[in-house]
Amino acid sequence: MLHTIKRQIKKHFGHHINPDVVILTRKYVDMIEINFNALLGRHFLPHPRQKIEIETSGRCNLSCRFCAYSKKITAKVVMPMNLFQEVVEQAAEMGFSEIGLTPMTGEVFMDKGIIEKMHYLDAHPQIKSYYFFTNFVVPSEQTIKELFNLRKLKFIHISLYGHDEKSFCNLTQATTKEYHRLVNNLNYLYDLYNEKRSFILRMGWRTMPSFFKLEQSSPTSELQEIFLKFQTYHKIKSNNTLLYNNWGGEITQADVQDTGLRINDGTQVYRKGLCSVIFRFSGILADGRVSACVCRDVKGSLVVGDLRKESLSYVLSLNNPLYANLIQEQLESKFRPVCLTCDFYNSFYQKMRMNASIKAYYKFDFVKTLLNQPPSEK
């Protein structure tokens, strides 16, 4: 049964392909594609008023060795309900209809009011869907049960760290109590999964590469058992990682020594032109500040405004010098330090790798017109 997991790894990464070969191959393929499309004047930008991230919790219950949570300087707070409602109203007024609730470096269930916030999104006529990623250690059984009452929850992505108790504790620097709570939560979710629900379940497997080399034919831990039950009986989608993100240069190989994990340092990414990620993953932090990109900016260097002082329509517009300058810099292929080391970079001369669900792309002139619209008053 464990071969199911290993087949997933081979599906995404081939038969033991050297990660350095993958990185260099992608760099030169990108270089050809980007320059070819630039020559033809082709742009592939997502609609900048479709999806936005709202971080309701800047706190996390784990301290994963491959995550920059311990190095972040953005606020480790929970967004109050009144601010959340104000943010959603402003976002909906601008046309945003899809909300991502995944914290940049935090855990969504560390917000004790998250279910109330999801019900608020459910009831909002202009919000079509929302989703989140979670380590799934924190929620109570009552909270898990409440997820099945939500109508617009698009998907839940559960990140699984380690393949047994020892590896879980090693990677997350957590206790055995948290490991067993995760396993119990997964079993409870499995028991409920046949009930009517709006969401799709996905899982991401994050563990030591040595695990996939073991010649095992059956699960050797409770975590492996429940993962395989979900795959076998519910056919859930899953993904696996052998090459880990560097969090804009904050995580290095030294942070994961003795684990066998590989960190992509981001220096072999070919960069030319505006990064389209800023139009897909702009977002509001838990303290109300707005970041042009909430993918990996744990130091807040891409913060372009504060909703406690300004309207969202102003902050995410070319009327805002902080936002306009960032866009102009990238159009000239001038990148800030966090962007120069980020391996999530996606030139607007190529389609987005991070989100295959995008159905339409736009040229920069169209996006610029939207960003030039007059802002509403706060």
Side-chain angles (χ1 to χ4, degrees):
M1 293 180 71
L2 273 185
H3 294 306
T4 304
I5 302 175
K6 297 173 186 178
R7 281 198 299 271
Q8 288 291 325
I9 288 292
K10 291 179 180 180
K11 175 182 177 182
H12 290 281
F13 292 93
H15 297 267
H16 308 293
I17 297 176
N18 188 322
D20 295 325
V21 174
V22 175
I23 293 170
L24 283 175
T25 301
R26 172 180 158 182
K27 175 181 178 179
Y28 291 112
V29 169
D30 283 350
M31 184 184 300
I32 294 169
E33 180 185 8
I34 288 170
N35 282 289
F36 178 73
N37 286 328
L39 185 65
L40 297 179
R42 293 174 176 171
H43 297 161
F44 300 93
L45 285 170
H47 198 291
R49 297 290 186 262
Q50 182 179 10
K51 185 180 84 69
I52 195 164
E53 302 289 319
I54 303 177
E55 178 187 79
T56 68
S57 169
R59 299 173 181 168
C60 192
N61 56 306
L62 303 178
S63 187
C64 297
R65 295 173 65 180
F66 49 82
C67 176
Y69 177 71
S70 63
K71 303 182 181 184
K72 70 183 287 187
I73 61 174
T74 51
K76 296 180 179 180
V77 298
V78 170
M79 181 181 286
M81 185 64 180
N82 61 340
L83 177 58
F84 179 79
Q85 292 172 331
E86 177 62 25
V87 168
V88 172
E89 290 304 317
Q90 290 192 45
E93 185 179 336
M94 293 172 65
F96 290 105
S97 60
E98 184 177 358
I99 306 293
L101 294 174
T102 308
M104 179 163 39
T105 53
E107 165 56 39
V108 67
F109 287 112
M110 290 295 281
D111 175 6
K112 295 181 180 180
I114 190 60
I115 293 297
E116 181 185 4
K117 292 181 172 80
M118 291 182 190
H119 279 297
Y120 182 80
L121 294 176
D122 261 6
H124 200 290
Q126 291 165 272
I127 301 302
K128 295 180 180 179
S129 65
Y130 54 94
Y131 65 90
F132 63 86
F133 285 58
T134 172
N135 60 50
F136 214 58
V137 174
V138 176
S140 64
E141 290 188 354
Q142 180 57 42
T143 297
I144 295 171
K145 191 172 183 179
E146 194 64 36
L147 296 173
F148 290 80
N149 295 325
L150 300 169
R151 298 181 296 105
K152 296 181 182 178
L153 179 56
K154 186 176 182 180
F155 71 82
I156 300 173
H157 183 111
I158 299 177
S159 299
L160 300 177
Y161 304 131
H163 55 274
D164 56 20
E165 183 179 300
K166 181 179 178 180
S167 57
F168 172 87
C169 295
N170 185 353
L171 289 179
T172 65
Q173 303 185 85
T175 66
T176 58
K177 180 180 179 180
E178 288 163 305
Y179 169 78
H180 290 290
R181 184 179 177 95
L182 167 62
V183 172
N184 290 338
N185 280 348
L186 289 171
N187 278 296
Y188 187 70
L189 179 64
Y190 179 84
D191 291 340
L192 295 177
Y193 201 67
N194 282 325
E195 294 187 14
K196 185 177 180 181
R197 65 189 186 281
S198 67
F199 63 88
I200 295 172
L201 180 64
R202 301 172 183 173
M203 289 187 182
W205 194 272
R206 309 288 184 264
T207 192
M208 285 80 161
S210 58
F211 167 65
F212 300 103
K213 299 177 183 179
L214 297 177
E215 294 300 326
Q216 300 171 188
S217 59
S218 60
T220 58
S221 73
E222 309 97 324
L223 185 57
Q224 294 169 36
E225 287 177 358
I226 187 60
F227 176 83
L228 288 170
K229 283 174 66 177
F230 270 112
Q231 285 228 312
T232 302
Y233 299 108
H234 294 306
K235 311 298 180 185
I236 64 162
K237 295 180 180 180
S238 64
N239 62 65
N240 311 279
T241 295
L242 291 179
L243 190 63
Y244 286 72
N245 187 266
N246 65 49
W247 286 89
E250 292 297 325
I251 297 298
T252 67
Q253 202 61 46
D255 292 299
V256 295
Q257 60 181 342
D258 303 324
T259 66
L261 303 185
R262 286 289 306 275
I263 302 297
N264 183 359
D265 65 12
T267 59
Q268 295 299 321
V269 175
Y270 181 72
R271 294 175 176 82
K272 179 175 181 176
L274 181 62
C275 180
S276 54
V277 176
I278 64 175
F279 299 119
R280 191 68 178 172
F281 289 95
S282 57
I284 298 90
L285 303 178
D287 62 0
R289 292 183 301 156
V290 182
S291 176
C293 180
V294 294
C295 282
R296 292 297 181 258
D297 184 31
V298 295
K299 295 296 178 67
S301 63
L302 301 179
V303 168
V304 292
D306 190 333
L307 297 192
R308 295 167 297 187
K309 304 174 183 177
E310 306 151 310
S311 69
L312 184 61
S313 61
Y314 169 75
V315 173
L316 295 181
S317 78
L318 297 180
N319 299 293
N320 175 11
L322 294 176
Y323 190 58
N325 290 343
L326 175 64
I327 292 173
Q328 186 58 42
E329 288 170 11
Q330 294 198 1
L331 285 170
E332 298 172 8
S333 295
K334 298 175 182 177
F335 300 99
R336 299 182 186 183
V338 67
C339 301
L340 278 174
T341 50
C342 181
D343 48 348
F344 275 176
Y345 172 78
N346 202 128
S347 172
F348 76 145
Y349 292 122
Q350 59 186 171
K351 293 182 179 181
M352 292 193 72
R353 291 182 294 270
M354 291 175 62
N355 202 314
S357 65
I358 297 176
K359 295 182 174 61
Y361 288 94
Y362 304 89
K363 290 183 71 68
F364 178 68
D365 286 345
F366 172 80
V367 171
K368 187 176 179 180
T369 300
L370 293 178
L371 300 180
N372 266 322
Q373 290 181 355
S376 60
E377 296 183 3
K378 177 89 164 58

